Amino acid sequence: MNSLIDHAARYHGDAEIVSIGTDGNPSRSDWATVSERSRQLASALRTAGYVQGDRCATICWNNVGHLECYLGISGGGMVCHTINPRLFPEQLVYVINNAQDKVIFFDKTFLTIVSNIRDRLETVEKFVLMSEPDEEIAAQFPGLLFYEEFLQRGTPNANWPEIAENQASSLCYTSGTTGNPKGVLYSHRSTVLHALVAAQPDALNLSARDVVMPVVPMFHVNAWGVPYITAMVGAKLVLPGPGLDGQSLVKLIDSESVTIALGVPTIWQGLLSALDELGSSAQSLKRTVIGGSACPPSMMSEFRGKYGVEVVHAWGMTETSPIGTVNALLSKHNTLSEEGRNKIRESQGRPPYGVQLKIVGEDGHQLPEDGIAQGNLRIRGHWVVADYFGVEPNQTLEEDGWFETGDVASINDDGFMTIRDRSKDIIKSGGEWISTVELEGIAMGHSAINEAAVVAASHDKWDERPILLAVKIPDANITEEELLAHYQGKVAKWQIPDRAIFVEGLPRNATGKVLKNKLRSEYGEVLVNKPAS
Amino acid sequence: MNSLIDHAARYHGDAEIVSIGTDGNPSRSDWATVSERSRQLASALRTAGYVQGDRCATICWNNVGHLECYLGISGGGMVCHTINPRLFPEQLVYVINNAQDKVIFFDKTFLTIVSNIRDRLETVEKFVLMSEPDEEIAAQFPGLLFYEEFLQRGTPNANWPEIAENQASSLCYTSGTTGNPKGVLYSHRSTVLHALVAAQPDALNLSARDVVMPVVPMFHVNAWGVPYITAMVGAKLVLPGPGLDGQSLVKLIDSESVTIALGVPTIWQGLLSALDELGSSAQSLKRTVIGGSACPPSMMSEFRGKYGVEVVHAWGMTETSPIGTVNALLSKHNTLSEEGRNKIRESQGRPPYGVQLKIVGEDGHQLPEDGIAQGNLRIRGHWVVADYFGVEPNQTLEEDGWFETGDVASINDDGFMTIRDRSKDIIKSGGEWISTVELEGIAMGHSAINEAAVVAASHDKWDERPILLAVKIPDANITEEELLAHYQGKVAKWQIPDRAIFVEGLPRNATGKVLKNKLRSEYGEVLVNKPAS
Ligand SMILES: Nc1ncnc2c1ncn2[C@@H]1O[C@H](COP(=O)(O)O)[C@@H](O)[C@H]1O
């Protein structure tokens, strides 16, 4: 992986890295400087006694200091453990102790969080605040180190050590909605192979002329690999820091001429409203890459129709580095109507070279890939997790190296995969499966609706029936009947939710995914005394 | 590598392979069929007793049978040795015996050639003609096998064997202008890594929506890797067979909607004239990739200006798989004038991630990369040869894995490399180096000139002086003085050739490169009795 940063430094040394600090102010660096400083960081860690394989953690926003940690820690042969600051304190303590982190680099925003759990961390020897020295803070946090000072312990532009390609480079915990998070290790090899594929025209399509803004956090699956991919192709990188509201993003896109931005659907909802409010047409923006949860069709058409921005729909997981599928059309789709093409764009796409998919039934038998059959999705490939961190080897994968994703999907004969649901969220009504993803997409297509979740409610006759929980856009006026009527003609009658319940907001986990188990325990019994529908 | 063909078969099974046969007639196949048949070929070879590592040779045009041999031989674990049919008979015998080929697959065109050298081949056990059985031919060539019959000995869609990634997959001999050809081995790993990089936006930029026509022969550096790259991305492939004249190519481009074509400059010269003659605008064609020798600036501007076809200038060697550099502009070039951008496009480009370049002086010391200093070009990387076939290991590379290319080049601070010459062709006049590549490009920019070569002639005062050998376009009227006057203002006075001599044609080696040593021995003394200029 240090060959990535060397390549960027030599051939794209003056390509910019724009970074928004925790104070909201931008700073400018470039690949040459980031390379010099990340070599210095690796050397500082070595000087401090850390050796290859040691875990060093980060709790940071998307910013240039975090980028230097990524490259310096992994390039130095240590393992960069990126931590999600939105985890509950107990989860934070758990992942840090489980990973046996020795150093934590963290942004000022997270000073209190770190300070509060400090006493329960069993292995951490050094706490490094990402800033210049600050006496006031130092006084409150005994033993605190400051990044700019710590860096000075290393030699600028020090040589990288030799690293075997299968050595671990980084570590990220899944944000399981149930149970303890599990650590996923990436290797130098898997990271480079993933980057090689991700840059391709039918994946993210990145060149040296792109200006790339990862809104997906760097603490989540390495920001989908963007830091490595941009180093590989020498693109300009725009790191938005803590301000992920629509207005801040729009301003950044316009001022830095961002050509491609990546993130989850909820982020883009805010962006679309802000574009409207600010009257920006996002002139420079050519593509958004949307993944993490299903992109509602209405969002795709707004991006494409109103702003000329192509939406690249992608699917992946922490365990898959993350690219599993990307939606890029085939030649034969040229002959379809625009509507036909849009239908295809709604699916999560096809696997690039390097990974394979299949769907299996409850008994583990492979199901036909006809676009109709749906089953448990399995994936196999060069950047799919083999073992969770700290778990006995060979416990994670099924036979022949297949990983069980926990998603339910169908695959058509061209290999385009459509996520129907998480397997634990799917609804079984009178023996028939109902996809909550599809029902949510329809609700979000209604102009009065901002967010939507469909969950199973117990039902006397049908076992389970879908109910819709929806968040209105501010000041919108809509009744339950009107919202349910919106489903007419869009799905079969028996798939229409039994109820639409308006709520103030949806509970989400640390990576922004809706906590459906929470909704089920709250609303799961609302139908029980209702007569059969 | 068999994962490449599996990927194409599953996800792009119906993407077409159009192929022109030795009889000039087109046939249509697709990735699914090619996959099925190449698995069958691997199985037939296994059944015939061949084992992993055995060399099996091909002497074929660019066609679908050759593609099946590529994939079937390598996918079966054997080594696909692609032979250049334009080699002299002694060279053919040499490379086949040196490689210890056990089987030769060859097109009908080459029946006589193979038949003539047959008795001198020491290791070949099977001769397989790429056709249906033909009794008349069988009678003339005892023991001849026919491809379609031979295939039947295998099981269609048989399983691939397990192959270690560093195992050899294919073999290609350099077409040295002096000495015996040397065998370059490619591995499954180097082939896949090369393909991953070659498909990127800043390299060949290939997607599933492309229609790719490799005019560069499949017997030369695996047609620059195109068969593997197109399988990886699932593109449609157009294989032009034996008819490489401009008219045939134009017709194929138009009828198959080719979006990108790849070849050497001489091929494109024919294509440009044919476009003119046929009144075609090559509507579908978006890019040509030009390498193998320097692309004359006039050719680039004709493609871009007249047909809106982008020229991607690339440099590489048999020993480098071949991609060493590709010319893709950087963001900062956006602010240049069109002329400024064209100047940059003339260089051979910058190395993609995966290879590195440097230039060294006669003493082996690295020279500055300032765009001015010129020295011997060295390259290092994941798809650069380590050892020639059959040569003691560790004889080929310099210290730290650098390969000496034999080219003289300069590199600028962005890493853009310009080839000045082959080191043995460069002219040293009064202690100053003169680039023959540059002088040839200027001559070819003259509307009356079709081909040009500049070589050193001995000179009493200056040791060497450049002389120009030029081939006029048919019926053109131009004098020596007029042609030399064309250099005025384009290069320094002392770099202008001393003579321009019109010739009927230029001697070329089997891959189309001008044999300058031949020109030197013929014309090297023309200045000797001339007074000092
Ligand atoms: N494009 C998408 N459409 C639907 N679900 C998605 C998509 N991308 C990711 N997911 C979901 O997010 C899960 C991975 O979560 P995580 O490991 O936290 O990134 C997947 O298993 C899917 O359930």
Side-chain angles (χ1 to χ4, degrees):
Chain A
M1 175 190 306
N2 26 38
S3 60
L4 285 173
I5 174 69
D6 288 350
H7 178 79
R10 168 60 192 96
Y11 296 107
H12 306 279
D14 56 8
E16 277 187 308
I17 318 285
V18 178
S19 167
I20 307 294
T22 50
D23 55 4
N25 290 327
S27 68
R28 286 172 188 276
S29 182
D30 56 31
W31 284 111
T33 310
V34 164
S35 162
E36 190 182 313
R37 287 168 57 92
S38 53
R39 282 168 176 264
Q40 187 171 8
L41 176 59
S43 148
L45 285 166
R46 210 157 45 232
T47 306
Y50 297 108
V51 296
Q52 298 207 4
D54 279 348
R55 268 80 63 202
C56 302
T58 60
I59 312 183
C60 301
W61 299 109
N62 288 13
N63 55 39
V64 66
H66 203 174
L67 181 64
E68 290 168 6
C69 290
Y70 259 53
L71 302 170
I73 296 170
S74 303
M78 293 91 190
V79 179
C80 181
H81 172 203
T82 53
I83 299 179
N84 186 337
R86 300 199 200 106
L87 292 177
F88 299 120
E90 308 75 64
Q91 290 177 310
L92 283 173
V93 171
Y94 173 83
V95 300
I96 294 169
N97 288 338
N98 189 260
Q100 300 168 287
D101 294 324
K102 297 206 167 154
V103 184
I104 302 184
F105 296 90
F106 59 102
D107 275 340
K108 238 181 219 170
T109 326
F110 309 117
L111 190 62
T112 337
I113 295 182
V114 175
S115 169
N116 285 342
I117 58 171
R118 177 175 188 177
D119 291 344
R120 290 142 73 197
L121 304 181
E122 295 159 6
T123 54
V124 180
E125 299 163 353
K126 288 192 172 51
F127 294 89
V128 185
L129 186 70
M130 301 303 289
S131 81
E132 296 284 351
D134 179 322
E135 288 193 14
E136 231 172 290
I137 298 178
Q140 297 162 38
F141 196 124
L144 185 67
L145 301 174
F146 294 90
Y147 182 65
E148 292 299 333
E149 231 170 33
F150 183 72
L151 256 195
Q152 300 310 318
R153 303 188 187 179
T155 318
N157 257 328
N159 283 334
W160 295 122
E162 282 292 321
I163 299 175
E165 68 182 68
N166 284 314
Q167 206 171 305
S169 57
S170 62
L171 174 64
C172 180
Y173 280 74
T174 60
S175 48
T177 40
T178 52
N180 269 327
K182 286 182 276 187
V184 176
L185 268 182
Y186 310 103
S187 70
H188 287 263
R189 177 181 165 114
S190 74
T191 303
V192 168
L193 287 174
H194 180 265
L196 281 165
V197 164
Q200 309 243 339
D202 277 345
L204 309 187
N205 192 14
L206 291 188
S207 81
R209 293 167 306 291
D210 275 308
V211 180
V212 187
M213 181 167 79
V215 184
V216 49
M218 289 172 71
F219 53 74
H220 185 56
V221 213
N222 297 325
W224 299 350
V226 169
Y228 313 116
I229 310 166
T230 46
M232 179 176 280
V233 305
K236 170 175 166 179
L237 196 52
V238 177
L239 300 170
L244 303 181
D245 58 293
Q247 299 235 355
S248 306
L249 295 178
V250 168
K251 284 179 195 155
L252 211 47
I253 289 171
D254 287 339
S255 65
E256 298 298 335
S257 302
V258 170
T259 60
I260 169 169
L262 306 91
V264 297
T266 30
I267 287 290
W268 302 129
Q269 211 124 33
L271 184 94
L272 286 169
S273 330
L275 283 171
D276 218 30
E277 288 155 26
L278 296 173
S280 164
S281 62
Q283 196 57 46
S284 60
L285 196 66
K286 293 196 216 115
R287 274 162 295 143
T288 55
V289 179
I290 304 192
S293 45
C295 178
S298 52
M299 181 176 285
M300 284 195 202
S301 48
E302 189 169 350
F303 266 121
R304 185 181 304 272
K306 209 159 152 189
Y307 300 101
V309 171
E310 206 191 315
V311 170
V312 180
H313 196 194
W315 167 86
M317 312 178 70
T318 307
E319 288 89 339
T320 63
S321 298
I323 293 182
T325 59
V326 185
N327 196 315
L329 298 186
L330 301 172
S331 284
K332 62 175 158 195
H333 298 139
N334 280 337
T335 57
L336 295 178
S337 65
E338 186 61 22
E339 206 182 322
R341 271 199 294 277
N342 283 343
K343 203 74 217 140
I344 289 165
R345 289 183 179 120
E346 286 170 19
S347 92
Q348 274 71 11
R350 53 188 167 87
Y353 171 74
V355 289
Q356 297 159 273
L357 298 178
K358 69 175 179 183
I359 45 175
V360 299
E362 292 306 326
D363 57 358
H365 268 79
Q366 187 166 1
L367 297 175
E369 304 190 348
D370 54 9
I372 299 163
Q374 58 184 36
N376 295 317
L377 182 67
R378 291 184 182 178
I379 184 168
R380 175 166 82 170
H382 291 291
W383 47 89
V384 174
V385 67
D387 295 301
Y388 287 107
F389 179 77
V391 166
E392 282 291 295
N394 306 319
Q395 302 292 300
T396 306
L397 300 183
E398 306 287 319
E399 218 183 319
D400 289 331
W402 290 95
F403 175 76
E404 179 82 55
T405 64
D407 285 329
V408 172
S410 63
I411 301 178
N412 78 8
D413 35 320
D414 291 321
F416 282 71
M417 183 272 287
T418 301
I419 295 281
R420 302 287 175 183
D421 246 314
R422 292 293 295 169
S423 55
K424 56 187 176 5
D425 294 336
I426 203 158
I427 298 171
K428 219 163 185 177
S429 170
E432 295 283 346
W433 283 6
I434 298 178
S435 156
T436 63
V437 174
E438 190 179 2
L439 297 180
E440 288 158 4
I442 294 171
M444 287 199 272
H446 194 291
S447 58
I449 299 303
N450 221 341
E451 297 175 59
V454 172
V455 297
S458 311
H459 193 282
D460 293 336
K461 177 162 175 198
W462 303 108
D463 283 343
E464 291 182 356
R465 287 294 303 156
I467 59 167
L468 167 66
L469 303 157
V471 181
K472 298 184 199 178
I473 65 163
D475 306 323
N477 243 325
I478 180 171
T479 65
E480 173 165 8
E481 285 66 39
E482 283 164 354
L483 183 51
L484 291 178
H486 180 62
Y487 282 96
Q488 295 290 347
K490 297 200 176 73
V491 291
K493 271 224 174 69
W494 57 269
Q495 296 180 330
I496 299 179
D498 278 23
R499 293 277 322 263
I501 301 173
F502 296 106
V503 293
E504 289 302 311
L506 296 174
R508 292 182 185 270
N509 77 0
T511 58
K513 295 208 166 75
V514 173
L515 290 164
K516 292 208 172 171
N517 47 356
K518 213 155 175 193
L519 291 174
R520 268 197 304 274
S521 62
E522 198 163 338
Y523 296 96
E525 303 302 314
V526 291
L527 301 180
V528 175
N529 295 319
K530 225 189 145 193
S533 62
Chain B
M1 176 189 309
N2 26 39
S3 60
L4 285 173
I5 174 70
D6 288 351
H7 179 80
R10 168 60 192 97
Y11 295 108
H12 306 279
D14 55 7
E16 276 186 310
I17 318 284
V18 179
S19 167
I20 307 296
T22 51
D23 56 2
N25 290 327
S27 68
R28 285 172 189 275
S29 183
D30 56 30
W31 283 111
T33 310
V34 164
S35 162
E36 191 181 313
R37 286 168 55 93
S38 53
R39 282 167 176 267
Q40 187 170 9
L41 176 59
S43 148
L45 285 166
R46 211 157 42 232
T47 306
Y50 298 107
V51 296
Q52 297 209 6
D54 279 348
R55 268 80 61 200
C56 301
T58 60
I59 312 184
C60 300
W61 299 109
N62 287 14
N63 56 38
V64 67
H66 203 174
L67 181 64
E68 290 168 6
C69 289
Y70 259 53
L71 302 169
I73 295 171
S74 302
M78 293 92 189
V79 179
C80 180
H81 172 202
T82 53
I83 298 178
N84 186 338
R86 301 199 199 106
L87 292 176
F88 298 120
E90 309 76 62
Q91 290 178 309
L92 283 173
V93 171
Y94 174 83
V95 301
I96 295 169
N97 288 339
N98 188 260
Q100 300 167 287
D101 294 325
K102 298 207 165 152
V103 185
I104 301 184
F105 297 90
F106 59 102
D107 274 340
K108 238 182 218 167
T109 324
F110 310 116
L111 189 61
T112 336
I113 294 183
V114 175
S115 169
N116 286 342
I117 59 171
R118 176 175 190 178
D119 292 343
R120 291 143 72 197
L121 304 180
E122 295 159 5
T123 55
V124 179
E125 299 164 355
K126 288 194 171 53
F127 294 89
V128 185
L129 186 70
M130 300 303 292
S131 82
E132 296 284 350
D134 179 322
E135 288 192 13
E136 230 171 290
I137 297 179
Q140 298 162 38
F141 196 125
L144 186 68
L145 301 174
F146 294 91
Y147 182 66
E148 292 300 334
E149 232 170 34
F150 183 72
L151 255 195
Q152 299 310 318
R153 304 187 187 180
T155 318
N157 256 330
N159 283 334
W160 296 122
E162 282 291 324
I163 297 176
E165 67 181 67
N166 284 312
Q167 206 171 305
S169 56
S170 63
L171 174 65
C172 180
Y173 280 73
T174 60
S175 48
T177 42
T178 52
N180 270 326
K182 286 182 276 185
V184 177
L185 269 181
Y186 309 103
S187 70
H188 287 263
R189 177 181 166 114
S190 74
T191 303
V192 168
L193 286 175
H194 180 265
L196 281 166
V197 165
Q200 308 242 339
D202 277 345
L204 309 186
N205 193 12
L206 291 187
S207 82
R209 293 166 306 291
D210 275 307
V211 180
V212 187
M213 181 168 79
V215 184
V216 51
M218 288 171 70
F219 52 74
H220 184 55
V221 212
N222 297 325
W224 298 350
V226 169
Y228 313 116
I229 310 168
T230 46
M232 179 176 280
V233 305
K236 170 174 165 181
L237 196 52
V238 177
L239 300 170
L244 303 183
D245 59 292
Q247 299 234 354
S248 307
L249 295 178
V250 168
K251 284 179 195 152
L252 211 47
I253 289 171
D254 286 340
S255 65
E256 297 299 335
S257 303
V258 169
T259 60
I260 170 169
L262 306 92
V264 296
T266 31
I267 287 290
W268 302 129
Q269 209 123 36
L271 184 94
L272 285 170
S273 329
L275 283 171
D276 217 31
E277 287 158 28
L278 296 173
S280 164
S281 62
Q283 195 58 47
S284 61
L285 196 64
K286 292 196 216 116
R287 272 162 297 142
T288 55
V289 179
I290 304 192
S293 45
C295 177
S298 52
M299 181 175 285
M300 284 197 200
S301 47
E302 189 168 352
F303 265 121
R304 184 182 303 274
K306 208 159 153 188
Y307 299 102
V309 171
E310 207 192 317
V311 170
V312 180
H313 197 194
W315 167 87
M317 312 177 69
T318 306
E319 287 90 339
T320 64
S321 296
I323 293 182
T325 58
V326 186
N327 197 318
L329 297 187
L330 301 172
S331 285
K332 62 176 158 193
H333 298 141
N334 280 337
T335 57
L336 295 178
S337 66
E338 186 61 20
E339 204 181 322
R341 271 198 294 277
N342 283 342
K343 203 73 217 142
I344 290 165
R345 289 183 180 120
E346 286 171 18
S347 92
Q348 272 72 13
R350 53 187 168 87
Y353 171 75
V355 287
Q356 298 159 274
L357 298 178
K358 69 174 177 182
I359 45 174
V360 298
E362 292 307 327
D363 57 358
H365 269 79
Q366 186 165 1
L367 297 175
E369 305 191 347
D370 54 9
I372 299 163
Q374 56 184 34
N376 294 316
L377 182 67
R378 292 185 181 176
I379 184 169
R380 175 165 82 171
H382 291 291
W383 47 89
V384 174
V385 67
D387 296 300
Y388 287 107
F389 179 76
V391 166
E392 283 290 296
N394 306 320
Q395 302 292 302
T396 306
L397 300 183
E398 306 287 321
E399 218 184 319
D400 288 333
W402 290 96
F403 175 75
E404 179 81 56
T405 64
D407 284 330
V408 172
S410 62
I411 301 178
N412 78 9
D413 35 319
D414 291 321
F416 282 70
M417 184 271 287
T418 302
I419 295 280
R420 304 288 174 181
D421 244 315
R422 293 293 296 167
S423 55
K424 56 185 175 7
D425 293 336
I426 203 158
I427 298 172
K428 220 164 183 175
S429 169
E432 295 283 346
W433 282 7
I434 297 178
S435 156
T436 63
V437 174
E438 190 179 2
L439 297 179
E440 289 157 2
I442 293 171
M444 287 198 272
H446 194 291
S447 58
I449 300 302
N450 221 341
E451 297 175 60
V454 172
V455 297
S458 311
H459 193 283
D460 293 336
K461 177 163 173 197
W462 303 107
D463 284 342
E464 292 182 358
R465 287 293 303 157
I467 60 166
L468 167 66
L469 303 156
V471 182
K472 297 184 199 179
I473 65 163
D475 306 324
N477 242 324
I478 180 171
T479 64
E480 175 165 9
E481 286 65 40
E482 283 163 355
L483 183 49
L484 292 177
H486 181 62
Y487 282 97
Q488 295 291 348
K490 297 200 175 73
V491 289
K493 271 221 173 72
W494 58 269
Q495 295 180 332
I496 299 178
D498 278 21
R499 292 276 324 261
I501 300 171
F502 296 106
V503 293
E504 288 302 311
L506 296 174
R508 292 183 184 269
N509 78 359
T511 57
K513 294 210 168 73
V514 174
L515 291 165
K516 292 207 172 174
N517 48 355
K518 215 157 174 190
L519 290 174
R520 268 198 304 273
S521 61
E522 198 162 337
Y523 297 97
E525 304 301 314
V526 292
L527 300 181
V528 174
N529 295 319
K530 227 189 142 193
S533 62

